[in-house]
Amino acid sequence: MKPLLELFLAFARVGVMTFGGGYAMLPILEREIVENKGWATREELMDYYAVGQCTPGVIAVNTATFVGYRTAGILGGVFATLGVVFPSVVIITLIAGVLTNFADIPAVKSAFAGIRVCVCVLIFNAVVKLWKGAVPDKAALILCLLVFVLSVFLDISPIVFVLFCAGAGILFTRMGVRGK
Amino acid sequence: MIYLRLFWEFFKTGLFAVGGGMATLPFLYDISARTGWFTAAQLADMIAVSESTPGPIGVNMATYVGFTTAGIPGAVIATLGLAAPEVIIILIIARVLAAFRQNRYVDAAFYGLRPCSLGLIAAAGALVVKIAMLHPERYASTGVLTDLVDWKAVLLAAVLLVFTRAVKQTKKLHPIFFILASALVGVVFSF
């Protein structure tokens, strides 16, 4: 039981100290998992990150499952994952509960109208940041634009796009249009 | 049975959202459009809160949506639903890590999935732009094209773009600063 509890607590600490997720989490993981606990080497951590990039889901959860599994088996994976999401559940529930009560105040409405403009800019910046890694050639550019346009104008589930593009990726690679 | 549906919707999100936190966004808009559990405008606010609080964005968003839909049990169930497929997938591939990473089909599929994810995020962003900066209902009533655009919002967006991308001293600042500043601007100039 002790290693499971330790995994839960260590990843709960990672969850609390992470703002934003993804790469923002890397230095915190390094300190907590590599330096303090010695559960993984720096190279292993980079491997987990690379796998997190090529599996579905949130990278923080993927990495937690990986380290937990390597340290204490399947239960270890489950406990580390529960640890990393635990702070979010507590903190967001508290904030959401409070905000719901204040949502109808005019000043709060104005504040969120301003915040929404900021969210547009943040998403735009995220798209720019992802661009280089996601769109290496013409075929990928066509896929990206196609998904964007169809998704804006038609009511299609994102799952359809994901399945279609996974197939297109394999087809393009086999046809040899990749990298051109 | 709202809890079961909530778990299932987030299970699908966790299974198909590729490329980290923001990638869950198009799936959440899809859930909003199909179920009506929460509005697109609420979702935009949730993004801001998720960026400004500790924890990975994807997880925060799931908790927030779950709470809005079905209270505290909803928050827990949505979060577990999001994490479940990821845990299962990682536990399966953890044994064959090297083979998985080097598999040419996995590599080829992700070559197609990355631009897909980007296109979906950009489309979700376009929806937030519509909510934050356009007034289609005002345009419909007056018929004046310049009434379609919320000029105050566009100006704020332009200023934010400059500070987050061009000004060396501010572009490395955490998003929370820009979110708080925008809230202040929203109150002061009554957005």
Side-chain angles (χ1 to χ4, degrees):
Chain A
M1 203 54 210
K2 198 164 167 261
L4 295 183
L5 191 67
E6 232 179 284
L7 274 169
F8 180 89
L9 291 176
F11 275 95
R13 268 199 296 278
V14 171
V16 168
M17 289 186 282
T18 302
F19 266 86
Y23 286 102
M25 206 176 65
L26 199 54
I28 295 150
L29 273 173
E30 275 193 347
R31 196 175 55 212
E32 199 62 30
I33 306 307
V34 178
E35 287 166 23
N36 289 358
K37 299 288 183 184
W39 283 333
T41 65
R42 197 156 277 125
E43 289 69 35
E44 282 173 319
L45 199 58
M46 292 315 294
D47 275 352
Y48 299 157
Y49 251 67
V51 173
Q53 298 276 306
C54 49
T55 48
V58 182
I59 296 170
V61 172
N62 292 338
T63 310
T65 308
F66 241 125
V67 175
Y69 172 74
R70 284 288 165 89
T71 311
I74 292 175
L75 269 182
V78 172
F79 272 78
T81 305
L82 290 177
V84 85
V85 303
F86 181 71
S88 293
V89 173
V90 175
I91 295 167
I92 293 288
T93 300
L94 287 175
I95 291 180
V98 172
L99 279 184
T100 313
N101 291 328
F102 294 111
D104 291 328
I105 298 172
V108 175
K109 278 189 179 162
S110 296
F112 272 102
I115 286 173
R116 278 175 212 158
V117 176
C118 186
V119 169
C120 298
V121 174
L122 293 179
I123 295 177
F124 176 79
N125 288 344
V127 168
V128 172
K129 211 159 119 189
L130 290 169
W131 181 268
K132 213 175 147 204
V135 186
D137 53 36
K138 275 187 202 134
L141 177 66
I142 291 168
L143 267 189
C144 184
L145 291 177
L146 189 71
V147 169
F148 174 74
V149 171
L150 290 180
S151 177
V152 165
F153 291 105
L154 298 177
D155 194 13
I156 305 174
S157 163
I159 296 174
V160 175
F161 290 113
V162 168
L163 294 176
F164 173 79
C165 288
I170 293 171
L171 190 71
F172 285 172
T173 305
R174 296 200 67 160
M175 281 163 53
V177 294
R178 185 173 171 179
K180 283 176 188 163
Chain B
M1 196 50 204
I2 183 91
Y3 297 134
L4 218 57
R5 273 197 71 194
L6 200 55
F7 185 88
W8 174 235
E9 289 297 339
F10 276 91
F11 190 91
K12 283 191 290 184
T13 302
L15 189 59
F16 289 103
V18 178
M22 278 293 185
T24 61
L25 198 53
F27 291 85
L28 301 182
Y29 274 114
D30 185 49
I31 294 174
S32 147
R34 278 185 297 111
T35 66
W37 287 338
F38 48 92
T39 65
Q42 276 179 304
L43 201 52
D45 299 344
M46 293 179 198
I47 301 169
V49 173
S50 299
E51 287 255 23
S52 322
T53 46
I57 292 178
V59 177
N60 288 351
M61 296 284 289
T63 305
Y64 208 139
V65 168
F67 180 84
T68 308
T69 308
I72 294 174
V76 174
I77 285 163
T79 309
L80 293 181
L82 180 81
E86 303 166 29
V87 171
I88 295 166
I89 288 171
I90 295 291
L91 289 180
I92 292 169
I93 67 163
R95 296 156 204 267
V96 289
L97 175 61
F100 179 83
R101 273 194 67 186
Q102 281 148 23
N103 184 293
R104 60 200 172 98
Y105 287 102
V106 172
D107 177 67
F110 272 86
Y111 160 71
L113 284 174
R114 279 187 286 265
C116 175
S117 188
L118 191 63
L120 287 174
I121 295 172
L127 192 58
V128 184
V129 168
K130 192 177 139 202
I131 292 166
M133 298 193 222
L134 299 181
H135 287 303
E137 69 299 330
R138 195 172 69 183
Y139 170 60
S141 70
T142 65
V144 183
L145 195 61
T146 47
D147 275 353
L148 180 64
V149 179
D150 186 333
W151 295 104
K152 271 193 286 191
V154 172
L155 190 63
L156 174 60
V159 172
L160 284 168
L161 268 179
V162 170
F163 279 113
T164 55
R165 305 202 57 84
V167 180
K168 217 184 212 159
Q169 289 85 352
T170 55
K171 68 178 186 184
K172 290 264 184 275
L173 284 177
H174 193 278
I176 194 169
F177 293 107
F178 300 111
I179 290 171
L180 290 177
S182 305
L184 200 64
V185 170
V187 175
V188 173
F189 294 94
S190 57
F191 270 50

